[in-house]
Amino acid sequence: MLQVTLGVAGMHCAACQGRVQKALAALPGVGDASVNLVTGQAAVSYDPAVVSPAQLAAAVRALGYEASLPDPRVTAIEEQARQDAERAAESRALARRAAFAAAASLLAMLLSMPLMAALAGDHHAAASDPLMRAAMRWLDPPLRAAFPWAYRLPAAALGGALIALTLATMAWAGGRFYARAWAGARRRSADMSTLIAVGTGAAFAFSVAATLAPGFFLRHGVAPEVYYEAVTMIVALVLLGNALEARAKRRTSAALRALAELQPPRARVERDGAEVELEVGQVRPGDTVLVRPGERIAVDGIVLVGASAVDEALVTGESVPVAKGAGDAVIGGTVNGNGALTLRATTLGAESVLARIVELMRSAQSTRAPIQGLADRVSAVFVPVVIGIAALTFLAWLALAGEGALVRGLAAAVSVLIIACPCAMGLAVPTAVMVATGKGAQLGLLIKGGEALQRAGSVDTIVLDKTGTLTAGAPRVTGIVARDGDDDALLRRTASLERASEHPLAAAIAAAARERGLPLDPVEEFAAVPGRGASGRVDGHLVAAGSAAFMASLGVDAGPLAADAERLESEGRSVIFVAVDGVAAGLVAAADPPRPDARAVVARLRGLGLAPLMVTGDAPRAAHAVARQVGLAETEVLAGVLPQGKVEQVRRLQQAGRVVAMAGDGINDAPALAQADVGIAVGAGAGVALEASDLTLMRRDLSGVPDAVELSRRTMRTMKQNLFWAFVYNVVGIPVAAGALYPAFGILLSPVLAGAAMAVSSVSVVTNSLRLARWQPAARTLQRTTTSAS
């Protein structure tokens, strides 16, 4: 299965989202389809042998929506900038249309009272609704005094002006609603625009009839009420709600927008001995890039000359500037400190670290959390059910209300259509996911989607790798035991072999050889066995390095080294056995101290109700020594476990009913990360670990693990609040709009108030999600409070 993300334009409520998702999922060859209302994207897994991306886009267009395929020439940063510009333009356009409709509604209100008075003779009795009669009784004297000319105009002039004004408002300001409703009718589907179009259309048609034939209404005992001001006000309120919603939705992607804006537009490059300023897109891999103090680094690169401290906070969440010198990697978009740097450009464009982070976040925000399924099921039938309720409301008023039944029934039916809001249900989950993934990015957490975000909150067991996770991942060689007494020769051969490995211990051995100035030989026939060791041919000799079990698998007798190995392991050191040409040649011991925050993180995880378990391939003595330092009991340690054993341990916990998270950083952790309910790659570890994980910690500290759990739980709480209020709003609002309170209290909700309530419901859901942007993990809040107090 391959995956493609389509851009989908024209969706505006949960019914639209559900329709697109259902159509894509029904196509042959589609494994899964996830449509996000907020981002306007559809993530589709498909079999390229059965269906193509072009056919997926065609299926969306067949529903009447616009669909676009990703352009491989456009980076995620460029696409995000384009999308942000479009959303800003849409928000401004909606605000302009809402302002026009609001002004029109005020004018319509001014003209409607004189018109109703002219049509019915007695303007106080013209309204059959008690609330409307009371409003007219209060407003009529000041309006008559302020605008006497309006009351002197003939009914034909007033009616013509109101019809023209209302039509102009419906056509220009609210034209999108009627166009969408017509397109939906042609497709035999209905959505929020259908409700607005039918409701305002019915009110307008009734008003035109009352204006053109008032005598007909009077002869049948019905007041010729007009609802021009209600139609224009409803359009204004819905547009205002849409504008506020669009603005709030832009804020949900604020963190993603901030990341995309980190990319500087230009870079200073050394070409042919001269310094030139180029567009970032013109920089090529291998170019020499110059960075002045205080500048933002334009591209990913390796430092060639210079030293500085680089602020990586906005990219990795690392609050303390990181020291960089020759040979160190730097990330494009980070801020250089006081030193000048000369870089060699490495990954560029779509392959840059910043572009990959933006793409990962965009992909994550396009996915659905499982809890969204409930809203999708309701939305699929919501609009038809509401139309049916509105029709029954109108018929019930006609049958039971007596005098004024037609007018009141119409008002109640229109109110039902207008107050019903599938938007709130469609926005409840995706807005929370967007804000949460953006907040995670600010904290140095890259979350791969709504499903991973939801699962993280349910975790009750956390499996922790030792090397690079609980420890700093920067071990140093602290001892060498060579059977022939030549420590340098043993180290040289071992380092020549291990420099091809990604394991932190391998990097420590290679670094020790460099510190001693030992030349390294090329390695041939290199082979790594995850969790055990590596072998290869160095300078004509077959060299193997790894665990005692690895030596045994190669038929090497490691007995002569057992005593030294036991002594070193009891001191908490990791021991690498080395064999040359099938004979045990010696040991290399390395110490990897625990991360400074490891003990506090383990305590936080316990406080969150998680059971910690350290699983490592290291020898038991070394593993238990580290466990004691980080606050783990002996029963919470499993040592000497191979990568497949880690997978089995995770599976065993899952079979016992546990929801398991696995945190690791190495290639040997990838299988267990994939098996776990939530895989967490620590410290932007090995590439395979990143691919297998659900969450990635970009910072070097371990506190992101409990931060992720806390963020997930807070996000789930917000999602549930949003869904609860979205459902309660509709469950309570629709009966009130239908007139459920009228028999007991004489209260009948006007269509204008229904429109206002509908607008408020959508905005309130988005606003509640935005509260997540201000959330801080408990540990950081405590740290900030302590700092302020001191």
Side-chain angles (χ1 to χ4, degrees):
M1 286 282 182
L2 300 180
Q3 183 158 333
V4 65
T5 301
L6 305 176
V8 182
M11 296 187 300
H12 51 280
C13 71
C16 301
Q17 170 194 315
R19 188 175 305 117
V20 174
Q21 187 165 292
K22 183 178 180 180
L24 288 171
L27 290 176
V30 172
D32 181 59
S34 175
V35 179
N36 190 296
L37 175 63
V38 180
T39 62
Q41 292 179 313
V44 185
S45 298
Y46 67 99
D47 183 351
V50 180
V51 66
S52 68
Q55 290 173 305
L56 299 176
V60 174
R61 295 189 189 106
L63 297 176
Y65 304 99
E66 297 178 23
S68 59
L69 294 170
D71 186 344
R73 298 168 298 178
V74 178
T75 68
I77 295 175
E78 295 167 337
E79 178 63 23
Q80 183 62 34
R82 182 197 62 78
Q83 191 176 77
D84 284 334
E86 288 180 354
R87 287 180 176 175
E90 180 189 16
S91 181
R92 290 192 296 269
L94 286 168
R96 286 194 299 269
R97 293 171 187 269
F100 175 86
S105 66
L106 292 176
L107 183 57
M109 188 179 299
L110 169 66
L111 298 178
S112 290
M113 284 193 176
L115 175 63
M116 291 174 67
L119 294 176
D122 178 8
H123 56 275
H124 289 160
S128 57
D129 181 7
L131 292 178
M132 180 67 78
R133 281 200 300 270
M136 292 179 68
R137 192 172 290 113
W138 280 99
L139 290 174
D140 180 64
L143 286 176
R144 188 180 289 273
F147 306 101
W149 55 268
Y151 285 82
R152 290 195 294 269
L153 291 174
L158 290 169
L162 279 168
I163 291 173
L165 179 65
T166 307
L167 275 176
T169 303
M170 295 170 71
W172 185 74
R176 61 172 57 199
F177 305 130
Y178 305 100
R180 290 169 179 170
W182 174 247
R186 292 174 60 187
R187 298 190 302 267
R188 297 184 180 181
S189 62
D191 53 30
M192 187 195 75
S193 291
T194 305
L195 300 180
I196 296 170
V198 171
T200 57
F204 178 72
F206 183 90
S207 300
V208 171
T211 301
L212 299 179
F216 173 82
F217 288 83
L218 292 171
R219 286 195 299 272
H220 290 80
V222 178
E225 295 186 12
V226 293
Y227 289 96
Y228 298 115
E229 82 288 349
V231 172
T232 53
M233 184 62 77
I234 288 169
V235 171
L237 288 170
V238 174
L239 286 170
L240 176 62
N242 288 350
L244 293 174
E245 182 184 311
R247 183 179 177 184
K249 285 197 291 188
R250 279 197 76 223
R251 289 175 59 196
T252 65
S253 60
L256 183 55
R257 186 163 58 253
L259 274 176
E261 290 172 353
L262 292 180
Q263 175 73 68
R266 303 180 72 81
R268 268 186 302 281
V269 178
E270 197 174 87
R271 289 266 179 93
D272 301 323
E275 181 181 322
V276 295
E277 192 169 289
L278 302 175
E279 297 287 338
V280 168
Q282 296 176 298
V283 180
R284 299 190 297 264
D287 274 345
T288 299
V289 180
L290 309 175
V291 185
R292 294 172 182 169
E295 284 187 335
R296 195 172 292 280
I297 298 171
V299 297
D300 296 352
I302 302 293
V303 177
L304 298 176
V305 179
S308 186
V310 176
D311 183 356
E312 300 179 342
L314 288 177
V315 176
T316 68
E318 183 68 60
S319 58
V320 179
V322 181
K324 300 290 184 179
D328 290 331
V330 294
I331 301 172
T334 56
V335 179
N336 186 27
N338 295 326
L341 298 175
T342 301
L343 318 175
R344 175 172 53 82
T346 53
T347 51
L348 302 171
E351 298 302 316
S352 68
V353 171
L354 186 59
R356 289 172 61 198
I357 291 173
V358 171
E359 177 59 34
L360 181 62
M361 285 187 62
R362 284 173 56 84
S363 176
Q365 293 181 347
S366 299
T367 62
R368 300 163 64 251
I371 196 173
Q372 176 71 31
L374 175 61
D376 289 347
R377 289 192 294 272
V378 173
S379 300
V381 298
F382 184 82
V383 174
V385 168
V386 168
I387 292 175
I389 292 174
L392 290 175
T393 298
F394 181 71
L395 294 175
W397 276 94
L398 284 181
L400 304 174
E403 182 182 355
L406 177 63
V407 175
R408 291 176 183 172
L410 175 67
V414 170
S415 295
V416 168
L417 292 170
I418 300 301
I419 202 170
C421 187
C423 290
M425 289 184 287
L427 296 169
V429 174
T431 53
V433 170
M434 285 192 70
V435 179
T437 51
K439 184 64 182 180
Q442 292 176 345
L443 297 173
L445 306 172
L446 291 185
I447 304 168
K448 287 193 176 178
E451 186 174 355
L453 184 65
Q454 180 170 335
R455 284 201 310 265
S458 304
V459 168
D460 56 28
T461 303
I462 176 80
V463 176
L464 301 162
D465 178 51
K466 181 180 79 68
T467 303
T469 303
L470 285 171
T471 64
R476 294 182 58 85
V477 172
T478 57
I480 301 173
V481 178
R483 293 185 67 188
D484 62 3
D486 191 346
D487 291 356
D488 283 356
L490 180 70
L491 179 59
R492 175 183 172 184
R493 285 173 172 167
T494 309
S496 297
L497 171 70
E498 294 283 20
R499 67 174 174 172
S501 172
E502 286 185 303
H503 197 283
L505 291 178
I509 294 170
R514 286 196 300 270
E515 289 173 4
R516 296 193 182 197
L518 301 176
L520 301 184
D521 298 312
V523 60
E524 300 174 343
E525 303 173 25
F526 177 83
V529 181
R532 288 178 173 266
S535 62
R537 194 166 294 279
V538 178
D539 193 22
H541 296 278
L542 183 61
V543 179
S547 64
F550 185 54
M551 295 294 111
S553 70
L554 298 176
V556 176
D557 180 11
L561 301 172
D564 288 317
E566 184 175 331
R567 172 180 57 82
L568 293 168
E569 287 172 352
S570 66
E571 297 170 0
R573 306 192 211 184
S574 298
V575 175
I576 297 95
F577 289 80
V578 182
V580 178
D581 295 329
V583 178
L587 302 171
V588 178
D592 187 12
R595 292 178 183 265
D597 60 340
R599 191 176 189 92
V601 166
V602 169
R604 276 186 68 194
L605 291 170
R606 291 189 196 279
L608 291 170
L610 275 65
L613 178 68
M614 185 176 83
V615 180
T616 177
D618 280 357
R621 291 186 184 87
H624 284 291
V626 172
R628 286 192 294 272
Q629 296 178 66
V630 300
L632 290 170
E634 289 193 6
T635 56
E636 296 172 330
V637 178
L638 290 177
V641 180
L642 298 177
Q644 187 57 37
K646 293 181 182 180
V647 174
E648 291 300 326
Q649 182 58 40
V650 170
R651 187 177 292 124
R652 192 176 300 116
L653 290 167
Q654 291 171 327
Q655 290 172 349
R658 299 296 190 105
V659 181
V660 183
M662 167 73 189
D665 76 323
I667 189 171
N668 61 328
D669 298 320
L673 291 173
Q675 174 64 39
D677 296 290
V678 179
I680 305 173
V682 177
V688 177
L690 293 179
E691 293 298 325
S693 64
D694 301 297
L695 284 79
T696 300
L697 308 188
M698 298 298 291
R699 300 196 312 268
R700 293 191 302 274
D701 64 85
L702 195 59
S703 61
V705 176
D707 286 354
V709 175
E710 287 188 38
L711 176 61
S712 171
R713 292 179 179 178
R714 177 58 65 95
T715 304
M716 284 302 300
R717 192 181 314 159
T718 301
M719 289 179 187
K720 290 175 181 177
Q721 289 170 351
N722 287 348
L723 287 171
F724 173 79
W725 288 114
F727 284 121
V728 166
Y729 162 81
N730 283 291
V731 168
V732 173
I734 290 175
V736 170
L741 299 180
Y742 189 82
F745 305 101
I747 296 175
L748 182 63
L749 195 66
S750 74
V752 172
L753 291 179
M758 190 270 281
V760 168
S761 68
S762 295
V763 175
S764 64
V765 164
V766 181
T767 302
N768 189 47
S769 295
L770 285 171
R771 293 193 307 126
L772 286 168
R774 299 192 300 272
W775 172 82
Q776 291 291 337
R780 296 187 181 213
T781 304
L782 178 62
Q783 182 182 18
R784 188 170 59 249
T785 304
T786 304
T787 302
S788 301
S790 61

